[in-house]
């Protein structure tokens, strides 16, 4: 009996010490915290997790490893965090406005925005329309002209099926151009990385994606971005890319990027993570790091982020109704 009690006591002590955390984001045993990118490598979620690792490292906080969990453009990771590991205090999941659109249209199943803890947002990404470097389309007007002439000959590729945010960009472009979106040809991929690979291989002619996930290809000149879907031109090395608006197409698509956690995470873990991101946002290199990934820096959390999420979901629900998408 005494041996059994001692064993149980030692197990409890081990669990207590094993669950203790350092202030730097790592576990007490030195295991790095985890950022789940809910898609395959190379897309926007991957970039978002890399930003988390960079800004936390810049601020002297602990290492963050990336774990990839593709499936349903975020649905698999969302459902896993809600139903399987809602109390995991060592895991954060990258999200974007695309995930909020999927929630708004019921693509994440029965779960909604109240079923997770929205942790922090770090930047605003923007949509874009891109072609390969050797494409005959030199401007957005060239593409629009081709869509109007023979829409079935223009093959779009992007992350997500009909109703996803990348499909929505293509559909909105068609609507602004006066083209029946039903005439568009669209190939769905599991994330922006796959879509870009298909563009480079010549399997699709156009990608309606995000600036952040395409920076490397932009820098090497392998793709041509016809338009960025922002209100104004982006700063720095992206300043040469024209907006859709200045080319006569009033189309904007800002993308919030950030992180959420399970709804049953301990208050201490939630405070630890929010404190870590708040401290990272005060570091002198924070804005430089976020901008280097093609995003406009932003640092919001708590009630402010919750309100942003609710507002975005309501906007996407209205947009989905306009396009006749099922809820």
């Amino acid at each position: 009996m005494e041996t059994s009690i001692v064993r149980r006591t030692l197990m409890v002590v081990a669990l207590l010490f094993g669950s203790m955390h350092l202030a730097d984001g790592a576990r007490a045993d030195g295991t790095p915290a985890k950022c789940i990118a809910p898609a395959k490598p190379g897309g926007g979620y991957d970039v978002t997790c890399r930003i988390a690792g960079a800004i936390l490292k810049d601020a002297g906080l602990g290492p963050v490893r990336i774990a990839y969990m593709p499936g349903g453009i975020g649905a698999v990771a969302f459902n896993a965090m809600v139903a399987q590991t809602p109390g995991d205090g060592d895991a954060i999941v990258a999200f974007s406005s695309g995930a909020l659109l999927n929630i708004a249209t019921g693509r994440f199943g029965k779960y909604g925005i109240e079923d997770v803890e929205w942790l922090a947002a770090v930047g605003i990404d923007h949509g874009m329309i891109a072609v390969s470097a050797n494409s005959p389309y030199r401007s957005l007007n060239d593409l629009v002209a081709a869509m109007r002439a023979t829409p079935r000959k223009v093959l779009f590729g992007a992350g997500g099926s009909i109703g996803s945010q990348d499909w929505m960009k293509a559909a909105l472009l068609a609507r602004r151009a006066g083209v029946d979106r039903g005439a568009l040809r669209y190939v769905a991929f599991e994330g922006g990385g796959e879509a870009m690979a298909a563009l480079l291989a010549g399997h699709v002619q156009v990608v309606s994606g995000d600036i952040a996930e395409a920076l490397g290809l932009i820098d090497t000149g392998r793709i041509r971005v016809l338009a960025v879907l922002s209100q104004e031109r982006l700063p720095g090395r992206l300043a040469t890319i024209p907006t859709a608006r200045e080319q006569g197409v009033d189309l904007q698509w800002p993308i919030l990027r950030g992180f959420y956690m399970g709804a049953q995470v301990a208050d201490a873990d939630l405070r630890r993570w929010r404190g870590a991101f708040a401290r990272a946002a005060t570091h002198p290199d924070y804005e430089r790091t976020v901008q280097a990934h093609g995003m406009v820096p932003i640092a919001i959390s708590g009630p402010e982020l919750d309100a942003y999420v609710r507002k975005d979901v309501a906007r996407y629900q209205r947009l989905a109704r306009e396009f006749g998408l099922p809820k």
Side-chain angles (χ1 to χ4, degrees):
M1 177 68 71
E2 290 183 40
T3 301
S4 178
I5 293 174
V6 170
R7 284 177 178 171
R8 285 200 299 270
T9 302
L10 289 174
M11 288 175 64
V12 170
V13 171
L15 288 171
L16 286 172
F17 278 92
S19 64
M20 290 176 65
H21 299 87
L22 301 178
D24 65 358
R27 292 175 57 91
D29 62 4
T31 303
K34 177 172 60 178
C35 181
I36 297 173
K40 294 182 179 180
Y45 288 135
D46 190 0
V47 172
T48 308
C49 280
R50 291 183 187 281
I51 287 177
I55 63 175
L56 293 176
K57 182 180 179 181
D58 287 345
L61 305 173
V64 177
R65 67 182 178 90
I66 301 177
Y68 300 97
M69 191 181 292
I73 314 298
V76 170
F78 193 87
N79 281 267
M81 188 57 68
V82 173
Q84 299 174 23
T85 57
D88 189 348
D90 293 308
I92 61 176
V93 185
F95 82 90
S96 74
S97 294
L100 303 183
L101 173 60
N102 286 338
I103 292 173
T105 54
R107 289 172 174 268
F108 282 3
K110 63 182 180 180
Y111 301 120
I113 59 175
E114 306 299 333
D115 293 309
V116 297
E117 286 284 353
W118 300 99
L119 177 62
V122 294
I124 299 290
D125 193 0
H126 288 88
M128 61 151 197
I129 306 298
V131 296
S132 64
N134 60 0
S135 170
Y137 308 131
R138 308 296 300 181
S139 70
L140 187 62
N141 289 327
D142 289 343
L143 174 62
V144 167
M147 291 170 62
R148 287 172 176 164
T150 51
R152 298 294 296 174
K153 289 186 178 181
V154 181
L155 182 58
F156 279 81
S161 58
I162 292 176
S164 69
Q165 73 163 344
D166 286 350
W167 174 87
M168 195 74 75
K169 297 166 197 167
L172 285 170
L173 177 61
R175 185 162 77 175
R176 299 289 191 271
V179 176
D180 179 8
R181 71 174 185 275
L184 290 182
R185 295 173 63 207
Y186 181 90
V187 180
F189 296 95
E190 180 62 44
E194 284 193 355
M196 285 298 174
L199 180 67
L200 294 177
H203 301 313
V204 297
Q205 284 77 53
V206 188
V207 163
S208 50
D210 309 330
I211 279 289
E213 65 191 16
L215 280 183
L217 297 176
I218 294 171
D219 290 341
T220 58
R222 300 180 70 190
I223 66 171
R224 180 186 308 123
V225 178
L226 301 181
V228 60
L229 308 184
S230 56
Q231 185 173 2
E232 299 174 346
R233 290 200 182 197
L234 300 179
R237 68 187 194 272
L238 300 174
T240 59
I241 302 174
T243 67
R245 291 182 69 193
E246 67 187 82
Q247 298 177 78
V249 181
D250 188 12
L251 176 55
Q252 299 175 49
W253 194 274
I255 303 153
L256 183 70
R257 292 200 178 276
F259 311 91
Y260 66 83
M261 300 184 74
Q264 296 178 26
V265 167
D267 289 343
D269 286 327
L270 195 58
R271 288 194 300 270
R272 173 172 61 93
W273 277 104
R274 283 182 174 157
F277 277 104
R279 278 175 285 161
T282 65
H283 192 272
D285 288 336
Y286 180 83
E287 290 193 359
R288 176 193 59 78
T289 300
V290 176
Q291 288 173 345
H293 287 84
M295 300 185 200
V296 177
I298 189 174
I300 57 174
S301 63
E304 185 180 4
L305 179 56
D306 291 342
Y308 196 116
V309 167
R310 287 193 297 271
K311 182 178 179 180
D312 251 15
V313 168
R315 178 166 63 91
Y316 290 140
Q317 286 172 336
R318 291 192 298 270
L319 190 59
R321 287 193 295 269
E322 288 181 22
F323 278 102
L325 298 175
K327 171 62 175 77

